[in-house]
Structure formats: C-alpha cells, structure tokens
Amino acid sequence: MKPKLTWIEVLFLVLAVIGLAATWYYNALFYLEVDDTSIGNFIALTKTTLPAKSINADISVVAITFLIWMVYEARRLQMKHWWLFIPLTFLVALAFSFPLFLFFRERKIRGNAHLSKQT
C-alpha cells in the first residue's frame, strides 16, 4: 500500500496543476485571438521584445538544465517511465513537467526508503 501524500508531494502536485493551468490559459488565448496560430508564429512572438527574449533565454537554460538533471536523477533512482517527462516538457509546459517530475521523484525516494526499512 502506498503511503499518504506528504506536504511536499501535495505542493509539487499543486504547482504542476498551476503550471498546466497558467501556461495553457495563455496558449488558449493565443489560439483564440491570433490570426496566425502556427508554431512558427508562436515562437516568433516570443522574440518580439527584449523582456520576452530575456524570459525565453531564462526558460531555455532552465529547461536544458532540468532535462539533463532529470535524466541523470531518474536513471540513478531507477524510476520507471522517466522518459515521458521529455515530451511533456515540450508538448505541455516546463512549468507542468518539472514539478510533476519532482512529485514522482519524491514518491520514488520515499518508496525506496520504505523498502530499505523492511529489509
């Protein structure tokens, strides 16, 4: 039986839901309000102002760092289906995949600790 959720697991899940809702709210507005809704135009619009370029650079470095660390950490912990977080990062949002990965990482660490106490 899986143990109940800890406060940190709940926090990671809440952040994942917020990340999903916040990013997709603006994605929906983009598709409803912009004439050219191609992915090319979406990406081009992220480069229209200096603040947008700054945020784009910031998020790009964070995403690359997360993906490198996530692969390393997931393999180290022998997490199942870790590779799903790679497409989730690009198809949904980093703001969703990162806290969701942290949730599953925390569950794995707690599960491993629980197993080691039994032996």
Side-chain angles (χ1 to χ4, degrees):
M1 184 172 126
K2 288 273 186 186
K4 293 181 181 178
L5 295 177
T6 64
W7 70 268
I8 195 71
E9 291 168 342
V10 171
L11 179 61
F12 289 146
L13 281 178
V14 167
L15 289 170
V17 170
I18 291 169
L20 176 67
T23 56
W24 278 88
Y25 169 76
Y26 291 107
N27 288 345
L29 288 179
F30 170 77
Y31 287 104
L32 293 172
E33 295 179 4
V34 176
D35 292 330
D36 178 5
T37 59
S38 68
I39 190 68
N41 188 44
F42 185 93
I43 292 169
L45 288 173
T46 68
K47 301 173 185 176
T48 56
T49 66
L50 293 175
K53 290 178 182 183
S54 173
I55 290 170
N56 195 17
D58 187 36
I59 291 170
S60 296
V61 172
V62 170
I64 291 166
T65 304
F66 162 63
L67 291 170
I68 292 168
W69 173 78
M70 184 269 305
V71 170
Y72 172 81
E73 185 71 355
R75 294 179 74 194
R76 183 181 74 82
L77 295 173
Q78 298 178 340
M79 293 173 66
K80 294 180 182 178
H81 312 296
W82 60 266
W83 55 270
L84 288 170
F85 293 98
I86 296 170
L88 281 176
T89 298
F90 296 102
L91 296 174
V92 180
L94 174 64
F96 171 69
S97 65
F98 191 14
L100 188 64
F101 174 78
L102 291 175
F103 167 79
F104 282 107
R105 176 184 176 269
E106 190 66 24
R107 296 289 285 181
K108 179 67 175 176
I109 290 170
R110 279 202 314 129
N112 288 350
H114 181 68
L115 289 175
S116 66
K117 287 180 185 178
Q118 290 179 344
T119 56

